[in-house]
Amino acid sequence: MANHNKFSNPFTTAKGDKRARVTLKNLRTLWFNTGTLCNIECVNCYINSSPKNDALVYITADEVSDFLTQLTTLNEPVQEIAFTGGEPFMNPEMIEIARRSLAAGYQVLILTNAMRPMMRKHMQQGLKELHAAYPKRLTLRVSLDHFTEVQHDIERGKGAFKKTLVGMHWLRDAGIRMAVAGRTFGGDTDSASRAGYQLLFARNNYNIDALSPAETVLFPELDEKVEVPEITTACWGILNKNPNDLMCASSRMVVKRKGANKPAVVACTLLPYATEFELGNTLEEAASDVALNHPHCAKFCVLGGASCST
C-alpha cells in the first residue's frame, strides 16, 4: 500500500529530510507532446493515451515554430527536438512540424508505434521527403515493448507486434534511421533483453544497435502503486548519482492542455498531467529547478537510470 504522505511536499520528504532538486544545467532536448490521441490503447501507458483521450490536444506547427524562435534567444546548447504522444502521426501537422524543426537545424526524434497512422500514404511520402532533404538528422524511435510477439501483444493488443514490424520493414527499406524503445519485464535482465532484441534486429536486417542505450532504450515499468523511496539530497552521494545526469537537467517538454489558450512547458515527458511540474508558458520561465516529488522521479530517473532523450 503506497504511503500517500510521500511525494507531497516539494521541499521535504515524509520523514522531514531535504528533498533533492535538479537544476536545468544545459537544455539539450526540447520535447513536444503532439497530443494524447492514439490509434491503440496499451495496458500500461503512463499517459493513458487512447483513441478517446484528448486531454492534451494536437499542437500546431505554428505553436512549435514559436518555441523554435524562443530557442534562438536562449544561450542553450539544444541539439534535438523530439516528439511524443499519444501517437505523433495522428497529428495531421506532424510532417510540417518535423520539417520546420529540421529546417531550423536540429536533430529530430519522433516516437511512434509504426502502425497505421505512420503508414498512411501522405505520411510515408512526407517522411521520404524529410529523409531526402535532411539525411541523417531524422530518427524514428519505434515502441517495441518486447522482442517477443507474445509479450508485446499482451501490452498492445493481439496482432500489434506484426503490424509494428510491417512499419519497421517500411522504414528499413526507405533508409530512414530507426531506434527502439522497449521495456524490462519481470525476470528480464538488461543483458538478456538486449540479447533478445539483437537477435530480432539481425533476423529482420534492422540497422539498430541493441547494445546501445541510445538506439535501444529500455524503460522500467512505471507502476505508481509500487512503493518507491523518496530522493533526498543525501541520496546523490549514497547512490553515487549525479543530478546533472537526470532528464530534467537537460530537457523540457511542451504540452497543450484541452481548453488552454496556449501551450505550457513541463519539467518531464513522464509527468504531463502533474500541475506541480508545470513551469510556465515560455522556455525562459521553465528554466527553474525541479523538485523530485513524484514516484517516477525516483523509480524511472534516479533508481532506474533511464532517460527519454538520446
Side-chain angles (χ1 to χ4, degrees):
M1 186 74 175
N3 182 349
H4 295 291
N5 291 322
K6 294 169 69 172
F7 304 106
S8 59
N9 188 311
F11 302 103
T12 59
T13 67
K15 293 182 178 180
D17 296 317
K18 188 175 181 181
R19 185 177 302 285
R21 304 179 72 87
V22 174
T23 299
L24 180 65
K25 287 294 185 182
N26 293 295
L27 182 61
R28 294 196 297 272
T29 301
L30 179 60
W31 286 86
F32 290 89
N33 187 291
T34 61
T36 40
L37 286 173
C38 188
N39 56 303
I40 58 175
E41 187 170 2
C42 301
V43 174
N44 288 315
C45 180
Y46 74 95
I47 199 172
N48 298 318
S49 295
S50 77
K52 296 181 179 179
N53 180 11
D54 61 350
L56 301 181
V57 297
Y58 292 146
I59 199 160
T60 69
D62 286 345
E63 287 166 339
V64 170
S65 288
D66 176 61
F67 283 94
L68 296 177
T69 300
Q70 289 182 43
L71 286 177
T72 65
T73 67
L74 299 177
N75 186 26
E76 294 285 357
V78 177
Q79 302 164 357
E80 178 183 58
I81 306 296
F83 300 95
T84 185
E87 167 53 47
F89 290 105
M90 295 281 283
N91 187 317
E93 297 190 39
M94 189 61 243
I95 295 297
E96 180 60 21
I97 287 170
R99 191 189 317 278
R100 294 188 189 188
S101 302
L102 288 162
Y106 299 105
Q107 297 283 333
V108 165
L109 175 69
I110 304 174
L111 277 56
T112 179
N113 56 38
M115 295 171 74
R116 185 174 180 179
M118 188 198 79
M119 294 294 282
R120 288 176 291 175
K121 292 297 183 184
H122 67 283
M123 291 296 181
Q124 289 181 326
Q125 183 60 35
L127 286 171
K128 286 181 178 180
E129 291 173 359
L130 293 178
H131 174 63
Y134 305 99
K136 299 183 179 180
R137 288 208 280 120
L138 174 66
T139 302
L140 270 62
R141 183 189 290 167
V142 179
S143 297
L144 200 63
D145 285 335
H146 202 257
F147 50 87
T148 66
E149 181 176 1
V150 171
Q151 185 63 61
H152 179 87
D153 283 3
I154 287 173
E155 295 295 315
R156 295 186 176 249
K158 186 174 177 59
F161 186 82
K162 288 179 179 176
K163 292 176 183 176
T164 291
L165 289 196
V166 169
M168 293 181 73
H169 285 13
W170 182 84
L171 290 168
R172 175 200 64 197
D173 295 342
I176 298 171
R177 181 184 294 172
M178 284 189 289
V180 155
R183 300 190 190 185
T184 50
F185 293 98
D188 289 348
T189 63
D190 183 88
S191 58
S193 293
R194 293 188 184 280
Y197 280 107
Q198 192 170 34
L199 288 172
L200 177 68
F201 298 160
R203 188 162 60 243
N204 291 282
N205 197 28
Y206 297 152
N207 186 23
I208 306 171
D209 185 355
L211 303 182
S212 166
E215 293 188 37
T216 304
V217 188
L218 299 181
F219 296 123
E221 283 298 285
L222 298 176
D223 187 348
E224 294 186 37
K225 298 186 293 294
V226 174
E227 192 77 24
V228 292
E230 296 185 274
I231 305 300
T232 69
T233 53
C235 288
W236 302 126
I238 295 169
L239 298 171
N240 194 27
K241 297 280 186 177
N242 186 335
N244 295 338
D245 294 334
L246 268 65
M247 188 164 49
C248 52
S250 61
S251 68
R252 291 291 186 264
M253 184 170 77
V254 179
V255 302
K256 190 174 183 184
R257 305 189 192 285
K258 188 175 183 178
N261 293 325
K262 60 178 66 175
V265 187
V266 298
C268 177
T269 59
L270 301 176
L271 300 169
Y273 300 134
T275 56
E276 65 269 30
F277 288 89
E278 186 170 316
L279 304 175
N281 296 114
T282 68
L283 295 177
E284 186 175 8
E285 292 171 331
S288 55
D289 290 357
V290 176
L292 302 186
N293 59 321
H294 193 280
H296 289 352
C297 303
K299 184 173 184 180
F300 183 87
C301 293
V302 178
L303 300 177
S307 173
C308 292
S309 304
T310 56

